[in-house]
Amino acid sequence: MSPAGVPGVVERVEAHGETTLVVDPARVVEACTHLRDAEGYNVLVDLSGVDYLGWGAKQVAGYIGTPGGRDIHAPGSQGFERTPGEKETRFAVVYHLLRVSDDPARLRLEARLDDGDEIDSVIGVWPAADWYEREAYDLFGIVFRGHPYLVRILMPEDWEGHPLRKDYPLGGEPVRFSGEA
Amino acid sequence: MALGRRLPLVSDRPAAKAGLKSERILWPERGPGVFEQELEEIEDALMTTTVEKAIAWAQSGSMWPDTFGLACCAIEMMSIVSSRYDIARFGMERFSSSPRQADLLIISGRMTHKMAAPARQVYDQMLEPKWVIAMGACASSGGMFNNYTVLQGVDKIFPVDIHVPGCPPRPEALMEGIVRLHEKIRAGVPPAYEIRGVAE
Amino acid sequence: MAVVPTTRIYEGTRIPARCPTILDVDPAEHDLEDILTVNFGPNHPSTHGVLRLIVQLDGEHVAGIEAVIGYLHTGFEKTMEHKTYWKGITYPERIDYLSFQANELVFVLAIEKLLGLETPEKATWMRMCLSELNRIHSHLVWLGTSALEIGAISMFWYAFRERDMVLDLFEMVAGVRMHTRYFQVGGLAEDIPEGFYEQARDFARHMPRAVNDYEALLDRNKIWLERTKGIGLLSAADALALGQSGPMLRGSGVDWDLRKAEPYLAYDEVDFDVPVYPNGDVYDRYKVHMDEMRASARIVSQCLTRLEELRGQPWIADDRKVVLPPREELHTSMESLIHHFKIVTEGYLVPEGQVYVAVESARGECGCYLVSDGGPKPWRVKFRAPSFAALQATATCVRGTAIADLIAVAASLDPVMGDVDR
């Protein structure tokens, strides 16, 4: 299947047997409506946010020391990809679509946003987007225009901050070991 | 329970005579463990009267748990009601949904900050005497989740009598915890809120 | 047979217009002064965990409903970003704590897809066998608790009797009843013990008879039929629009099962039926669950036949950059020691990319969206939870029901709050 007639597509990536269409965030509702009506993607399987803050930060891998210290968790020490390429925007909203029919197909849409950008809600295209968008707002702070009830869903209503952002700390308490002085 | 041979009573102190033998149910040849020795010492120190002993026996013989199942441990808590493990032997098959009619709160599962307020409300609605078992690693100490949303141990919001380790603890492990709680009560140990005090 | 049915359960759509997951009180049908707002709080025996429903009642009838979730939000996704892949495998199991192997499986399959790693045949078939046993386990707990809520109290003990048999099998294989952590990247953690084949075969032979017993108790019971037939209707179009999958979708007539439509593991090599029922009510979803238990028992016996032929074969892939070497080799081989050290301390590296893998768990489509930056820890891992989607259908399914039916509908949606809140 070739979603070549989908409006708003900026880029098309094929990897690991999956197709990803990068869509202009201003035209996301148009693209989704076209995909639902013309191509038959009748199910929105998942809608998630991704935060790319700190992606590809230059670090030294392995056990070699540098003036800034060493990080054994940085990529590159076992011969796989070196540090990955840069990302232009901080956030991405990723939609996973499914066509339930005799000719099943899956598709991923990616809309790239910066911090503070808003994106239109696709709740009018697939009602399933309701809670997924509330979750993306709660955990990332991405605002969906046109959502009828965009309030926090997983965290308590009076929580401050958006936990899944990369600059939000993991939290928790330091573990105390018995026998400590 | 008929075993076909007498369990060796290692001591003739009152607690042992009254049936204190939790570890020996599982391991008959073993002597009294640390838990049992401590309980025997406590009982000597407390010198409970016969009336108090009778009350303790009644309380522990029919303690009604509250249905406070949160996560995976709740499934193992449900399985102690099932016929293989059968908590009805201990008089506890009547799980009460209303905290006002419950004696025991078994916190089974991870407690989040959002859930802490309703949980504390449930604890406050229970009538005294009331006991709390923190079942599993998440309820005892936050478990494998040391993050922004999981309460690191449910004893931050109310006092806990017994912590049962495991992820999830086997039904037998939970029953061992419950049996130890019964023995604590019969030895005269007061519920945790009297020992540790409850914050308002 | 067409995947989406042509007959309709009701005309039009019943999804609430303003907000799909909130049923607002319709002033034309209910007098607003008669409305009583009741809170089915997070601690309630009939809500499968910590689900809060704010219900507006007109007498006994449900006029408005809103579901509030988040009481079990454990921060799995953020925590897993801080753990290496090997350590991270313990986390997904606890998300959907009833069908735990499915979550493990989907995470492991996602990592293997990014790595491009092939697993040996024995591992594939054993994964399939355990996934089906897990499906039986999840349906048994669902049956026991749902029947308990609807009023058929003795079903709880019958269902948990078989559930303990399944957990005995898991314990034999992995040492632990629940949350077995048996699936590793590359295959299985350990070889299959000898006694497993016979005991599992006995169980697979016993299971269909047990399902017949359950149906004998419930299927012709007048009270059960009155309480489940015609309740909680959901049409196929609404189900697809709300992103449903699994028994919710198959109970509404849509013939969609990932094991047949997009086969993973070795599901295209086994023979089984997928039950589809047309009426979209609680009774049909119950029938789907029962028939799936029988189908799973069939798959398990076919897997065991194949596994017995594969005795002595390797159970994990040979790629030492990803898979830990066997312990005996650590005493003799220097490379094995270094590999072990690197994998345990730093973690194996997964190439940059993003994948989405889905499996058919007991509740529906359980998916894992994994974004990797080339490092030893996942950059973003999102679990597509089938119960999250199922709960969104609450407002649509409870139109026109009474309180007691609300409990039956919530039970048939089969939500597991760990899955919903993650």
Side-chain angles (χ1 to χ4, degrees):
Chain A
M1 77 307 317
S2 67
V6 181
V9 171
V10 167
E11 195 189 331
R12 188 195 158 129
V13 181
E14 304 257 2
H16 303 281
E18 299 176 11
T19 311
T20 307
L21 298 179
V22 182
V23 175
D24 175 17
R27 301 181 71 188
V28 112
V29 175
E30 219 184 307
C32 290
T33 318
H34 172 91
L35 283 168
R36 182 192 63 175
D37 297 330
E39 308 265 353
Y41 285 96
N42 44 9
V43 179
L44 174 71
V45 167
D46 193 19
L47 194 165
S48 54
V50 188
D51 182 358
Y52 287 112
L53 184 71
W55 178 269
K58 297 278 178 279
Q59 297 178 45
V60 174
Y63 292 88
I64 307 165
T66 64
R70 56 194 181 189
D71 180 9
I72 62 169
H73 297 294
S77 66
Q78 273 196 33
F80 276 117
E81 306 281 305
R82 291 287 143 186
T83 47
E86 294 285 319
K87 296 265 181 195
E88 322 83 49
T89 56
R90 179 172 175 184
F91 289 112
V93 177
V94 179
Y95 303 77
H96 286 92
L97 308 179
L98 169 66
R99 179 165 63 208
V100 170
S101 70
D102 300 310
D103 173 28
R106 286 192 190 261
L107 188 64
R108 183 182 303 126
L109 286 183
E110 201 180 313
R112 298 189 176 152
L113 303 171
D114 264 318
D115 197 2
D117 281 355
E118 296 183 353
I119 187 172
D120 286 320
S121 162
V122 296
I123 202 171
V125 184
W126 298 288
D130 187 354
W131 276 5
Y132 289 108
E133 290 179 347
R134 276 177 70 182
E135 186 191 340
Y137 165 69
D138 187 2
L139 297 175
F140 287 97
I142 301 172
V143 175
F144 291 86
R145 276 190 297 249
H147 193 283
Y149 191 53
L150 196 68
V151 298
R152 286 189 181 269
I153 185 171
L154 294 179
M155 304 306 297
E157 272 111 26
D158 51 356
W159 196 264
E160 283 173 18
H162 298 281
L164 244 62
R165 292 189 168 201
K166 290 287 178 180
D167 46 1
Y168 192 94
L170 181 60
E173 293 178 2
V175 179
R176 280 179 49 208
F177 291 91
S178 57
E180 263 179 0
Chain B
M1 80 191 169
L3 276 187
R5 61 191 154 103
R6 286 209 57 205
L7 288 173
L9 286 178
V10 181
S11 75
D12 55 1
R13 292 162 100 189
K17 280 219 191 79
L20 180 68
K21 50 184 191 295
S22 69
E23 290 182 26
R24 280 172 274 169
I25 290 174
L26 299 176
W27 195 343
E29 288 80 33
R30 188 187 156 99
V34 172
F35 173 68
E36 296 174 333
Q37 285 168 340
E38 283 181 350
L39 273 191
E40 290 180 358
E41 285 157 22
I42 291 175
E43 199 184 353
D44 282 346
L46 286 177
M47 286 186 290
T48 44
T49 64
T50 314
V51 171
E52 286 171 355
K53 281 213 185 74
I55 294 176
W57 171 81
Q59 283 171 346
S60 61
S62 168
M63 192 188 277
W64 289 349
D66 181 301
T67 55
F68 208 77
L70 294 170
C72 351
C73 284
I75 316 294
E76 293 291 40
M77 185 174 74
M78 288 197 285
S79 73
I80 62 170
V81 186
S82 73
S83 48
R84 188 186 279 197
Y85 302 104
D86 199 15
I87 196 78
R89 297 181 272 168
F90 301 97
M92 293 172 65
E93 80 277 15
R94 190 225 185 246
F95 273 70
S96 132
S97 330
S98 163
R100 300 203 186 267
Q101 297 174 12
D103 302 309
L104 175 65
L105 190 61
I106 304 183
I107 309 284
S108 47
R110 38 203 190 249
M111 173 80 68
T112 58
H113 289 288
K114 195 169 178 180
M115 191 62 197
R120 181 58 209 237
Q121 236 182 333
V122 163
Y123 179 78
D124 287 337
Q125 284 176 350
M126 286 167 73
L127 301 176
E128 283 155 18
K130 55 191 173 186
W131 294 270
V132 176
I133 289 185
M135 175 185 177
C138 294
S140 309
S141 70
M144 59 163 64
F145 305 108
N146 192 1
N147 57 25
Y148 58 93
T149 170
V150 172
L151 207 60
Q152 299 296 302
V154 94
D155 41 12
K156 291 193 188 294
I157 47 178
F158 36 70
V160 172
D161 293 87
I162 298 264
H163 300 265
V164 181
C167 191
R170 285 190 63 108
E172 289 102 326
L174 178 60
M175 290 183 56
E176 166 78 10
I178 290 174
V179 165
R180 286 200 182 190
L181 178 64
H182 290 175
E183 294 187 350
K184 266 176 80 164
I185 298 171
R186 287 186 213 183
V189 177
Y193 56 82
E194 281 181 32
I195 303 177
R196 262 168 246 144
V198 186
E200 286 306 309
Chain C
M1 187 176 119
V3 169
V4 181
T6 43
T7 54
R8 289 172 214 264
I9 297 168
Y10 48 76
E11 285 302 320
T13 175
R14 284 199 186 178
I15 301 177
R18 179 184 70 99
C19 182
T21 51
I22 299 179
L23 185 65
D24 294 316
V25 180
D26 184 2
E29 284 182 40
H30 307 279
D31 187 358
L32 287 174
E33 302 209 326
D34 287 340
I35 299 289
L36 172 70
T37 306
V38 171
N39 183 40
F40 277 64
N43 180 35
H44 185 264
S46 297
T47 53
H48 290 273
V50 287
L51 166 67
R52 180 173 170 214
L53 294 169
I54 303 174
V55 183
Q56 279 147 320
L57 293 171
D58 178 10
E60 281 271 324
H61 289 273
V62 174
I65 193 170
E66 183 190 343
V68 180
I69 60 174
Y71 290 95
L72 201 58
H73 174 64
T74 324
F76 277 101
E77 296 165 358
K78 186 143 183 116
T79 312
M80 285 173 75
E81 289 173 15
H82 291 256
K83 305 277 177 195
T84 61
Y85 287 99
W86 191 57
K87 288 186 193 173
I89 294 179
T90 46
Y91 286 83
E93 302 169 300
R94 286 148 174 91
I95 292 180
D96 178 356
Y97 41 81
L98 285 185
S99 72
F100 32 94
Q101 312 268 37
N103 288 79
E104 244 188 280
L105 179 66
V106 80
F107 184 56
V108 159
L109 285 178
I111 304 175
E112 286 173 0
K113 194 169 180 183
L114 269 180
L115 281 170
L117 191 61
E118 290 278 322
T119 51
E121 200 185 346
K122 184 173 181 181
T124 308
W125 285 85
M126 186 59 176
R127 283 177 177 179
M128 211 155 80
C129 182
L130 288 180
S131 295
E132 292 306 311
L133 283 173
N134 202 258
R135 190 184 312 273
I136 296 177
H137 167 268
S138 174
H139 286 335
L140 282 170
V141 176
W142 171 84
L143 182 66
T145 48
S146 301
L148 181 68
E149 291 166 15
I150 296 181
I153 301 181
S154 49
M155 278 308 302
F156 180 80
W157 279 269
Y158 287 112
F160 272 60
R161 179 188 62 187
E162 263 75 46
R163 176 193 176 241
D164 269 317
M165 290 187 206
V166 175
L167 288 178
D168 279 345
L169 288 172
F170 286 153
E171 194 181 1
M172 181 185 284
V173 158
V176 163
R177 285 157 55 102
M178 290 173 68
H179 304 325
T180 53
R181 202 193 175 283
Y182 189 59
F183 300 157
Q184 295 286 337
V185 171
L188 309 170
E190 282 172 18
D191 201 1
I192 306 170
E194 255 321 295
F196 174 74
Y197 302 108
E198 198 188 314
Q199 194 164 329
R201 224 179 248 299
D202 283 341
F203 176 75
R205 215 174 302 134
H206 166 76
M207 195 61 208
R209 276 181 261 147
V211 178
N212 291 344
D213 280 345
Y214 307 148
E215 287 194 334
L217 274 175
L218 292 174
D219 247 10
R220 278 175 300 186
N221 186 330
K222 192 80 166 50
I223 302 178
W224 180 261
L225 294 174
E226 294 254 345
R227 286 211 63 180
T228 55
K229 269 198 187 281
I231 308 286
L233 297 172
L234 186 67
S235 74
D238 279 350
L240 290 171
L242 285 166
Q244 303 297 312
S245 54
M248 287 292 291
L249 205 52
R250 292 194 282 281
S252 294
V254 181
D255 183 9
W256 178 258
D257 186 329
L258 283 177
R259 298 175 290 170
K260 290 273 193 201
E262 299 178 347
Y264 54 96
L265 296 180
Y267 278 107
D268 41 2
E269 294 174 42
V270 281
D271 190 31
F272 63 101
D273 300 312
V274 170
V276 179
Y277 283 82
N279 293 318
D281 57 7
V282 173
Y283 182 74
D284 278 7
R285 288 173 216 141
Y286 146 77
K287 291 299 287 182
V288 168
H289 278 105
M290 305 302 267
D291 287 344
E292 277 187 6
M293 281 199 263
R294 291 193 180 99
S296 292
R298 250 180 95 191
I299 300 177
V300 167
S301 30
Q302 292 172 60
C303 287
L304 287 169
T305 316
R306 186 83 188 100
L307 281 171
E308 282 172 347
E309 290 165 19
L310 292 171
R311 260 184 244 233
Q313 302 279 334
W315 60 91
I316 196 164
D318 220 5
D319 185 352
R320 290 304 165 79
K321 294 261 184 290
V322 172
V323 170
L324 287 178
R327 276 215 93 89
E328 308 82 53
E329 262 187 40
L330 292 182
H331 298 291
T332 50
S333 159
M334 192 59 193
E335 288 82 27
S336 301
L337 193 62
I338 306 260
H339 279 133
H340 183 103
F341 178 68
K342 292 283 268 186
I343 293 176
V344 170
T345 53
E346 185 185 0
Y348 49 82
L349 302 179
V350 172
E352 184 190 342
Q354 50 181 355
V355 284
Y356 176 79
V357 176
V359 300
E360 182 82 20
S361 90
R363 262 153 213 91
E365 174 171 337
C366 178
C368 175
Y369 170 55
L370 181 61
V371 178
S372 164
D373 65 339
K377 298 180 183 173
W379 183 263
R380 167 90 170 109
V381 57
K382 164 109 191 341
F383 284 91
R384 192 267 178 190
S387 310
F388 193 71
L391 266 190
Q392 291 195 79
T394 323
T396 312
C397 290
V398 301
R399 268 189 197 267
T401 56
I403 284 195
D405 300 328
L406 169 66
I407 307 296
V409 170
S412 78
L413 296 174
D414 203 0
V416 166
M417 295 316 289
D419 208 17
V420 174
D421 294 336
R422 271 161 286 125

